[in-house]
Amino acid sequence: MALIVQKYGGTSVGSVERIEQVAEKVITARNQGHKVVVVVSAMSGETNRLLDLAKSINEHPNSRELDVLLSTGEQVTIALLSIALIHRGCPARSYTGHQVHILTDSAHNKARILDIDKARVEKDLENGTVVVVAGFQGHDEHGNITTLGRGGSDTTAVAMAAALKADECQIYTDVDGVYTTDPRVVPEARRLSRITFEEMLEMASLGSKVLQIRSVEFAGKYNVPLRVLSSFEEGPGTLITYEEENMEQALISGIAFNRDEAKLTILGVPDEPGIAYRILGPVGKANIEVDMIIQNVGADATTDFTFTVHRNDYKKALDILNSVARELGAREVNGDNKIVKISLVGVGMRSHAGIASTMFEALAKEGINIRMISTSEIKISVVVDEKYLELGVRALHSAFGLEEGSNQ
Ligand code: ASP
Ligand code: MG
């Protein structure tokens, strides 16, 4: 007998019929002798609908009240699922975040979980009751309702699993696992049977939307085995876990890409201490996140500086850079918001040389110009023109043989 936490996302509970299908799946797991905790999201579209209502009054609604509003979406789903379970003869009880004491900090709309009181849940599980918990919500030390940020139900599920020392946390969603890359770009993309926490974290921060980043961090920290599976099809999904010592590690696990990139360059700034700070300080102060940064080797006492930001921040960053350029007497400022970032991710990189050159060769063969490069221990990213995104991802997918199924 195992203790399993199952999480069902918005599409999986998008209608009463689907909620009834979820009830059947939960009952199947319980009939196999497992103790089951279910975490659910709001029905698909509901959180957006609520957000739009608030924004129709004020573009920046009061954050405490917004949490009161948004948390109602999940409350509907827990009740409907419990009604469906009980109707089928399966004992079930629903709980809001507050009722199971999911204690968070007070950062409304993006709160972090601090503690969970598992006593109530454990008592129900002992009695054979299925516990249905509202995702995405908690309360702070003053009893205010908080929410965990978009996609936060994943984090609720992982946190419940960590607190209860569950054998597995299963995230049921509308895809049947984590893929080598987006199958809409590369039809040959393959489902991975497993991936490490570290790799999944990179994939999530590089734009893969399968899981909320925080949930992966949490799972890694507390070593919660996490499995992504489809609500609609049978299958083993993808297991996210620690790197196993003797396991033959795939060189590259996946290719992530991000279309929302823009780059800015300031040319001919003095090559002296404090320049990076004078350029990037004002950008940071404006709350603009900077991703890649490159500074050229200085020639004749001046240097050039390039960095990337989210495309939404491009105009704002360009204005800031133009005024910095005037202050510093820079030669020129230019920018490009038609660029994308493509990244190779794999823990196998640590122990293998030559991955970067294989990557660059594959892109060169397609005549794709690389505009920026950055590397870390388990990732290599390049910035290329937007028009090369599909071609670049496909070329790399085949250069590294990702369609071949070694990881199945
Ligand atoms: N309902 C919330 C959202 O749409 C939380 C979640 O689905 O995980 O972001
Ligand atoms: Mg979600």
Side-chain angles (χ1 to χ4, degrees), residues 7 9-10 41 150-154 173 209-210:
K7 181 257 170 178
S41 291
R150 299 309 303 268
S153 298
D154 293 341
T173 177
K209 299 205 171 48
V210 184

Side-chain angles (χ1 to χ4, degrees), residues 251-310:
L251 217 49
I252 299 298
S253 284
I255 301 173
F257 53 82
N258 197 339
R259 300 175 198 267
D260 306 320
E261 304 270 333
K263 77 178 171 63
L264 299 108
T265 303
I266 182 164
L267 294 139
V269 292
D271 188 11
E272 61 190 39
I275 284 298
Y277 175 64
R278 287 184 63 186
I279 297 171
L280 293 177
V283 177
K285 272 209 196 88
N287 258 327
I288 299 175
E289 223 174 287
V290 172
D291 179 22
M292 285 190 201
I293 305 171
I294 291 176
Q295 186 191 320
N296 271 356
V297 175
D300 53 32
T302 70
T303 186
D304 310 330
F305 215 89
T306 302
F307 58 94
T308 63
V309 296
H310 192 282

